[in-house]
Amino acid sequence: MVSGKNIAAAVSVTAVVAGLSYIAYFDYKRRNDRQFRRKLKRDRKRVEKTAEKISREPTLDDINEQALELLKSITNAKQPESPEEKEQYFMAQVSKGESLCGAGPAAYAEAACHFFQALKVYPNPVELVMIYQKTTPDLVFKLVMAMMAQEVRQKQARYYDVFPTEDKHVRIKDKNKLGEGKAKDKKPAKDADTKGDVVTPNRGLFATKDVAADEIVYEEDSVVSTLLPCAQNGKYCYHCMRAIPAAEAEAEAEDTAEAKSEAAEEETEEKKEPASDGIKCDKCAEAVYCSEECRQDAYDAYHQFLCPNSSAATANDFAEQAKKSHELAPILIAKFFGILVDREKKKELARALGVSDKNTSEADEYTTWEHLESMRYLELIPSATDAAMLHKLGELMSDSVPGLNEF
């Protein structure tokens, strides 16, 4: 009968013999098989590179590349709509992110992804970013910021895929990227970016359908406009620019075309009915409007900042400086920032109330500022007068538009 000790001894001897045989075989292959030696060398280099990548601090390129991959992974993620859903979603994403941070560096990328998704539904993103900076690991914070930057770049890149909208029947294209318009000596944008150069787009407007003679090709509403000084005489509306005596006829035509109910017609006529001398601003009496509706819209958007008789002393200084400069640009810029603040406040209020428009299109995700950002390649050098007016503008609206002085 074979004892347990004998079996254990036999197994041990077999294992030792097998080990020695493998060592001998390995040494033989290493000495005599060239392909085997190459494979060993490749494997060793791969292990060394992996170890080096893990040990070293990730570069900015590494972080941006990883952020791009993380963005792709959540492209189709459904966003909550109601305030209650957003609150629950936010808490869930933050909780997951914190748990993953505790799991160590291997889970940092997934943690950053959850923190980023929480950021998208938080009502005050800037505040949350500051909290992330203080409470999350450095790499997680860098990944979140990189994801934000990559998302902005993606949005900018597809701007002209969205605008003008399809109903305008025109598209804006970069002629540098068209086969017939591409210069042979022009370097690709990718090469230029690598060297820190900027390739200025050469954009043009292309029709997507045949255009008949005398047909209007394209038109759109202005983002901001203002009356010439010679037209600020009480005969034209300070907001919509219409001649005040003609406002009533135009309002009635709009009512008829839209076939509104009798009650709605009476309400519209009451709002749009012009006074013989127009409706003046309650405070300054300098701005004259064709209707109460225009007066209220103008005040909400920009006149609350620009009214020279407002409580802010800076408003009067700005008005006086604008009159002396005889230039419209400062007033247009001030109106633009006022409109920007007003529109974004209304959007934020709608989101906070959970009001969603079923007709919202992809174009609606762009802010007024992002529309202007599309013209960032225009290089304009401000004059001394412009610089003085911009300084006054900063004093006037810096509280309402954080970061305006840096702009």
Side-chain angles (χ1 to χ4, degrees):
M1 183 176 178
V2 181
S3 66
K5 291 183 178 180
N6 292 335
I7 293 175
V11 170
S12 300
V13 171
T14 303
V16 170
V17 171
L20 292 173
S21 300
Y22 179 76
I23 291 173
Y25 173 77
F26 183 85
D27 185 63
Y28 173 79
K29 292 284 287 183
R30 183 178 63 81
R31 290 175 179 274
N32 300 285
D33 192 332
R34 183 177 299 175
Q35 296 297 330
F36 187 74
R37 287 200 301 272
R38 289 178 179 174
K39 182 178 180 301
L40 288 176
K41 191 174 182 179
R42 286 197 300 269
D43 291 344
R44 185 172 62 253
K45 286 184 177 180
R46 190 181 301 112
V47 170
E48 289 174 352
K49 285 183 179 180
T50 303
E52 182 183 358
K53 189 173 183 181
I54 293 174
S55 62
R56 70 177 171 83
E57 189 74 19
T59 64
L60 182 60
D61 289 340
D62 294 334
I63 292 173
N64 286 334
E65 184 177 345
Q66 192 171 17
L68 194 57
E69 292 299 320
L70 291 173
L71 272 180
K72 290 178 182 178
S73 69
I74 59 172
T75 299
N76 299 321
K78 186 178 179 181
Q79 296 292 323
E81 296 182 0
S82 70
E84 295 78 12
E85 290 175 342
K86 288 181 178 180
E87 184 177 356
Q88 293 175 3
Y89 182 82
F90 170 78
M91 297 301 296
Q93 294 299 322
V94 169
S95 179
K96 289 178 182 178
E98 290 175 345
S99 299
L100 289 165
C101 282
Y108 280 177
E110 191 177 352
C113 198
H114 288 292
F115 284 132
F116 175 77
Q117 288 175 293
L119 184 67
K120 290 178 70 68
V121 299
Y122 194 72
N124 191 342
V126 175
E127 179 185 32
L128 187 58
V129 166
M130 295 174 67
I131 294 173
Y132 284 167
Q133 188 175 20
K134 296 177 181 178
T135 59
T136 62
D138 185 58
L139 180 56
V140 173
F141 178 72
K142 287 180 178 178
L143 281 171
V144 172
M145 297 304 294
M147 290 177 73
M148 292 174 63
Q150 291 287 7
E151 186 179 47
V152 170
R153 292 191 191 102
Q154 288 179 350
K155 202 172 182 180
Q156 290 174 345
R158 68 173 187 272
Y159 179 86
Y160 289 110
D161 295 332
V162 178
F163 292 98
T165 51
E166 291 184 4
D167 59 303
K168 301 295 185 182
H169 303 295
V170 291
R171 303 304 301 170
I172 294 177
K173 300 178 182 179
D174 186 354
K175 290 186 281 187
N176 293 333
K177 298 180 180 179
L178 298 177
E180 64 272 16
K182 189 174 181 180
K184 294 182 180 179
D185 59 344
K186 188 173 286 293
K187 296 181 180 179
K190 185 175 180 181
D191 293 342
D193 288 342
T194 302
K195 297 180 180 180
D197 300 327
V198 176
V199 176
T200 303
N202 183 18
R203 295 192 176 99
L205 194 67
F206 294 80
T208 59
K209 69 167 189 175
D210 293 336
V211 182
D214 299 326
E215 180 182 355
I216 296 175
V217 177
Y218 177 72
E219 62 179 355
E220 66 177 359
D221 295 332
S222 61
V223 176
V224 62
S225 55
T226 193
L227 289 170
L228 292 169
C230 61
Q232 295 181 14
N233 51 14
K235 295 181 180 180
Y236 299 93
C237 179
Y238 189 70
H239 184 63
C240 70
M241 315 296 161
R242 292 181 301 179
I244 289 177
E248 183 176 15
E250 186 171 343
E252 291 176 354
E254 290 175 357
D255 291 344
T256 303
E258 295 175 5
K260 294 183 176 180
S261 64
E262 184 175 350
E265 286 179 353
E266 292 175 359
E267 182 181 351
T268 303
E269 288 171 2
E270 182 180 350
K271 285 183 178 180
K272 299 296 287 186
E273 183 179 0
S276 57
D277 296 327
I279 298 176
K280 298 181 180 180
C281 170
D282 297 337
K283 296 180 179 180
C284 68
E286 293 184 11
V288 182
Y289 305 95
C290 68
S291 66
E292 176 61 25
E293 184 181 7
C294 276
R295 188 197 70 78
Q296 189 61 51
D297 287 346
Y299 186 82
D300 291 343
Y302 52 82
H303 196 61
Q304 59 175 309
F305 306 110
L306 298 177
C307 181
N309 288 352
S310 66
S311 57
T314 52
N316 187 53
D317 291 343
F318 181 82
E320 291 298 323
Q321 187 74 23
K323 288 179 181 178
K324 291 178 182 178
S325 67
H326 302 291
E327 294 183 5
L328 296 178
I331 298 174
L332 287 168
I333 295 172
K335 281 189 173 184
F336 164 71
F337 280 111
I339 290 171
L340 172 66
V341 171
D342 182 55
R343 289 183 180 179
E344 295 312 309
K345 279 184 177 179
K346 288 177 179 176
K347 282 185 181 180
E348 189 60 40
L349 179 61
R351 285 193 290 266
L353 295 175
V355 179
S356 60
D357 186 357
K358 295 181 179 179
N359 298 321
T360 298
S361 65
E362 189 178 2
D364 295 318
E365 69 173 302
Y366 287 88
T367 64
T368 306
W369 177 260
E370 287 168 328
H371 288 300
L372 269 293
E373 178 70 8
S374 64
M375 297 188 292
R376 64 190 181 278
Y377 295 106
L378 296 178
E379 296 293 338
L380 302 175
I381 301 175
S383 63
T385 304
D386 292 334
M389 288 304 303
L390 287 173
H391 178 70
K392 289 290 184 183
L393 178 63
E395 294 178 343
L396 177 67
M397 302 190 67
S398 57
D399 291 340
S400 301
V401 188
L404 180 60
N405 290 327
E406 286 73 13
F407 167 80

